[in-house]
Amino acid sequence: MATIERADAAAQAQGGIPTRSQIEDFLYLEAALLDEWKLDEWLALFAEGATYDVPTTRAEDDADSADQLFLVADDYARLQHRVRRLKKPGAHSEWPRSRTAHSITNVRIVAVEGDELLVRSLFITYRAKNDVTDCYFGHHIHRIRAGADGLKILSKRSMLDMSSLRPHGRVSIIV
Amino acid sequence: MATAFEKRPAGSGWVVEDHASFRVARTTFTDQDVLERERAAIFDRCWLYIGHESELPNANDFVRRQVGGRDLIFNRDRKGEYRAFFNSCPHRGAAVVREDKGSTISFKCFYHGWSFNNNGAFATRFAAGTYPEDFNRDGCADLTAVPRLAGYAGFWFVNFDAGAESLEDYLADAKDFLQVVADHAADGMEIVGGIQEYSVRANWKLLVENSFDGYHAHETHSTYLEYLVDAIGGPAELFPSRGNISRAYDLGNGHAVIEGPAPWGRPVAQWIPAWGEDGREEIAAIYAELEQRLGKERAEQVAYGNRNLLIFPNLVINDIMAITVRTFYPEQPDYMNVNSWALAPKGEARHFRKRRLDNFLEFLGPGGFATPDDVEALESCQRSYRNRAAAGWNDISRGMLRDMPLADDEAQMRAFWREWDRRVAEAE
């Protein structure tokens, strides 16, 4: 049986604006790396200087973490620390780690400017630990650069489209 | 300030102490009848936090709040008076406010259209003969106001017991610590937009304990402390005049606080190397204003002191690397709803506000580097109480023999539990 390599959308992206299916492959790859807890490989999808935000529930898409309380507002340094922390047994909320299923759908390229794309998608993420399963849902807003080094995430914002973060006690996973 | 942790005879049987041991029955975290007693003895009778004055800056502003199991409107009427009403139409009960916040001169029920001025007065006209001439003479068609509403230092509280003692008497020595928090800024404090609303699958009293538990930090939050070393660029300077010792203080009526030097940067007003030389000058200017306005001793307390304050039963103000205002209520013995806000000085420079919010998120809340581990710990405790028949008691005796309890002792928790015990025993 032939081995099917993990689709490397980054390689396909070179030369021209990526297609939606290439972007989808890239987002599916991101989801798979999180589910497989390959956090260093996940981090490598981000460009240096990238940011990762999770505003509070019911926030607007353009909410600003400089004047509003968020759940996560990582600059690149804190994003690196987040990954480093999650791999330690001292991150008790993820040790033993939870099981997750990150599902991505309704992927749309909503704007293209030069080599940057603005991509919206819906997500449903299930997280299971201690015999409890929580569901997070909402939409991602990715800014993605299609450059010589392939596709890189410039920013990722995860909007939780729930009315509150209940019954969940934590977003200790990356949604 | 009260420092002696006076002993009272245990009343409920769920809290047992002698001169050197203090134990709490684990059934207090699991039993439905304990929760029913808490509702009657504590949540129906204590002053409960409803909001901060900054959330209602103008006449006609309102917010909707869940407090003590009730659905409430907290608002200011046309004259600017603070009000609080049960969010139920007196006609059939539907909510008259369904938004989280807003501004309006009247509330209208969407079910049959009954309307109310924002002072609660019924304001609907019916065709003649629909109701008797003297309809609503007894106020039965007005919105029902909460029995008591009062504010202190910008923090507003309700009480569902009309005969309760005054808020100021209730707050006892906690008043001074609310004032310390209010003193951070010359122009007052404000809630920063965005609420962290989450739940924990554990008993609410476990979060009371955790909120001012100085003992668990090194074990539970090692990854945050490791992060901190890197993030702050070296240790912050510690409390100059208090010997760098963290203490616990009993503030009366179940309120208590731990206070001590902050090892991290405080945007008011303790510098860390990560903020650079410009930041050092800005912090020095903030500190100078504090000292000029408050005097040296109080300015040092505001600037360099960490405070984890509990206002009995369930208002936690953590004035640490940022200021959190947090309440939490039991839905079930093993499940609570948490609401958490960020408090900050009005008029704070934008880059300091950003630092403050970064500080908040690094440690606190469902996506922070520390709170999720607290949640894991609390939920683990709750699950283990399935063993309560064989292993039935929690130990809360740390530091009991010390005259001056330290912040990583458990005197502050004993202050809470004695008040809890007294009130629950009275409900029998």
Side-chain angles (χ1 to χ4, degrees):
Chain A
M1 190 187 296
T3 304
I4 298 174
E5 298 276 325
R6 173 178 274 157
D8 188 350
Q12 299 167 29
Q14 291 179 31
I17 298 165
T19 63
R20 187 183 67 204
S21 65
Q22 288 172 326
I23 294 293
E24 282 176 336
D25 281 348
F26 182 70
L27 297 182
Y28 296 162
L29 170 64
E30 187 200 352
L33 292 175
L34 289 171
D35 288 340
E36 293 163 18
W37 210 242
K38 293 178 176 169
L39 298 179
D40 290 318
E41 291 180 47
W42 174 77
L43 184 63
L45 301 180
F46 286 73
E48 278 195 38
T51 60
Y52 167 55
D53 287 339
V54 184
T56 52
T57 56
R58 290 179 287 168
E60 300 293 328
D61 280 359
D62 61 354
D64 185 344
S65 64
D67 54 35
Q68 191 165 330
L69 182 64
F70 275 32
L71 297 168
V72 173
D74 285 351
D75 60 12
Y76 193 59
R78 204 174 316 126
L79 186 59
Q80 292 172 301
H81 274 288
R82 183 174 298 277
V83 166
R84 201 180 304 165
R85 177 183 120 77
L86 284 173
K87 294 190 300 184
K88 295 176 181 176
H92 307 288
S93 54
E94 289 302 323
W95 198 92
R97 79 171 187 87
S98 54
R99 306 297 300 260
T100 62
H102 288 74
S103 183
I104 304 289
T105 184
N106 295 36
V107 178
R108 290 184 297 143
I109 300 172
V110 294
V112 179
E113 193 174 320
D115 61 355
E116 281 185 32
L117 296 90
L118 191 65
V119 176
R120 289 176 66 100
S121 59
L122 297 188
F123 67 87
I124 301 171
T125 298
Y126 286 98
R127 172 187 192 270
K129 193 182 182 195
N130 300 324
D131 300 326
V132 171
T133 301
D134 287 319
C135 174
Y136 306 79
F137 72 92
H139 60 282
H140 292 313
I141 304 169
H142 282 82
R143 271 198 314 124
I144 296 173
R145 185 182 67 211
D149 56 348
L151 298 179
K152 290 283 183 186
I153 300 169
L154 301 175
S155 68
K156 175 183 179 181
R157 174 165 286 203
S158 301
M159 306 298 301
L160 294 165
D161 292 326
M162 299 115 81
S163 62
S164 66
L165 195 65
R166 309 200 202 281
H168 324 61
R170 47 197 151 162
V171 281
S172 56
I173 55 163
I174 290 146
V175 292
Chain B
M1 182 192 303
T3 53
F5 285 78
E6 185 187 337
K7 297 214 174 69
R8 282 193 285 258
S12 68
W14 283 305
V15 176
V16 175
E17 71 171 304
D18 61 29
H19 74 287
S21 84
F22 195 106
R23 298 193 305 160
V24 172
R26 291 180 173 172
T27 49
T28 61
F29 303 109
T30 58
D31 286 11
Q32 186 67 37
D33 74 301
V34 171
L35 178 56
E36 299 307 325
R37 286 183 194 222
E38 288 173 338
R39 292 196 199 286
I42 295 175
F43 296 109
D44 290 353
R45 302 191 60 186
C46 291
W47 285 92
L48 304 173
Y49 178 71
I50 186 168
H52 190 264
E53 64 179 6
S54 63
E55 296 178 273
L56 304 174
N58 303 306
N60 305 321
D61 288 346
F62 70 89
V63 294
R64 182 179 179 182
R65 288 284 142 85
Q66 309 296 316
V67 178
R70 281 79 162 177
D71 181 7
L72 302 183
I73 307 163
F74 177 41
N75 73 307
R76 292 175 73 184
D77 66 19
R78 296 174 208 211
K79 295 177 178 171
E81 293 289 318
Y82 289 85
R83 305 269 188 177
F85 300 100
F86 295 95
N87 186 18
S88 298
C89 181
H91 177 225
R92 289 287 212 286
V96 299
V97 166
R98 293 185 293 159
E99 314 94 302
D100 304 320
K101 60 182 179 179
S103 178
T104 183
I105 57 168
S106 63
F107 303 109
K108 184 176 178 183
C109 176
F110 72 103
Y111 188 12
H112 297 90
W114 281 30
S115 297
F116 311 88
N117 295 332
N118 60 11
N119 63 7
F122 183 63
T124 307
R125 287 192 190 156
F126 298 114
T130 307
Y131 288 96
E133 286 287 319
D134 62 352
F135 181 69
N136 198 35
R137 189 162 292 169
D138 60 355
C140 67
D142 295 334
L143 286 181
T144 305
V146 298
R148 303 283 295 281
L149 172 71
Y152 188 85
F155 299 93
W156 283 83
F157 298 78
V158 295
N159 197 311
F160 301 117
D161 175 7
E165 63 185 320
S166 73
L167 176 64
E168 296 209 7
D169 288 346
Y170 177 84
L171 290 174
D173 293 333
K175 289 199 293 291
D176 187 50
F177 282 88
L178 289 176
Q179 193 61 52
V180 168
V181 174
D183 279 348
H184 280 222
D187 297 332
M189 304 295 285
E190 63 183 359
I191 295 289
V192 179
I195 310 173
Q196 294 183 340
E197 296 167 288
Y198 56 103
S199 297
V200 183
R201 293 175 173 102
N203 185 270
W204 68 279
K205 300 184 292 298
L206 289 173
L207 188 51
V208 169
E209 293 181 351
N210 176 264
S211 295
F212 57 2
D213 179 342
Y215 182 18
H216 77 298
H218 278 277
E219 199 64 42
T220 306
H221 301 311
S222 61
T223 64
Y224 175 75
L225 298 171
E226 288 155 14
Y227 165 73
L228 195 62
V229 170
D230 191 39
I232 72 176
E237 295 160 29
L238 300 178
F239 227 139
S241 65
R242 301 194 173 202
N244 291 339
I245 293 184
S246 297
R247 295 281 188 199
Y249 302 98
D250 184 341
L251 305 174
N253 293 345
H255 321 307
V257 68
I258 57 174
E259 187 180 53
W264 34 63
R266 287 168 58 83
V268 174
Q270 173 160 280
W271 178 81
I272 51 171
W275 295 346
E277 285 308 305
D278 289 351
R280 188 199 285 270
E281 286 176 25
E282 290 174 280
I283 285 284
I286 293 170
Y287 182 80
E289 190 281 327
L290 289 174
E291 190 168 292
Q292 195 263 330
R293 176 163 51 90
L294 303 171
K296 181 171 168 37
E297 187 181 354
R298 185 68 154 208
E300 282 195 353
Q301 186 183 13
V302 168
Y304 306 133
N306 268 324
R307 274 163 292 284
N308 296 66
L309 171 66
L310 173 77
I311 306 292
F312 189 92
N314 68 335
L315 170 63
V316 171
I317 298 176
N318 286 336
D319 176 7
I320 44 180
M321 69 290 287
I323 306 172
T324 75
V325 177
R326 181 160 76 193
T327 62
F328 37 93
Y329 288 99
E331 290 281 299
Q332 299 158 26
D334 59 356
Y335 186 93
M336 76 181 104
N337 284 339
V338 185
N339 288 316
S340 184
W341 295 265
L343 189 72
K346 282 183 188 165
E348 186 171 46
R350 186 176 167 83
H351 57 289
F352 271 90
R353 181 62 61 87
K354 173 66 174 159
R355 282 171 186 155
R356 172 184 300 282
L357 292 171
D358 279 345
N359 280 2
F360 191 120
L361 297 189
E362 282 166 5
F363 189 89
L364 296 153
F369 287 5
T371 299
D373 299 331
D374 286 321
V375 172
E376 180 77 9
L378 270 48
E379 293 185 347
S380 176
C381 294
Q382 189 71 40
R383 282 192 298 275
S384 93
Y385 297 153
R386 293 169 189 163
N387 298 331
R388 64 191 175 278
W393 295 86
N394 278 354
D395 181 284
I396 311 192
S397 63
R398 186 175 163 91
M400 248 182 123
L401 301 178
R402 259 194 266 276
D403 291 335
M404 289 285 286
L406 302 174
D408 59 359
D409 289 334
E410 289 163 345
Q412 62 282 12
M413 297 172 205
R414 292 189 289 273
F416 166 83
W417 278 111
R418 289 189 185 109
E419 182 71 9
W420 181 91
D421 186 39
R422 184 183 73 78
R423 286 182 175 270
V424 169
E426 278 179 6
E428 289 186 67

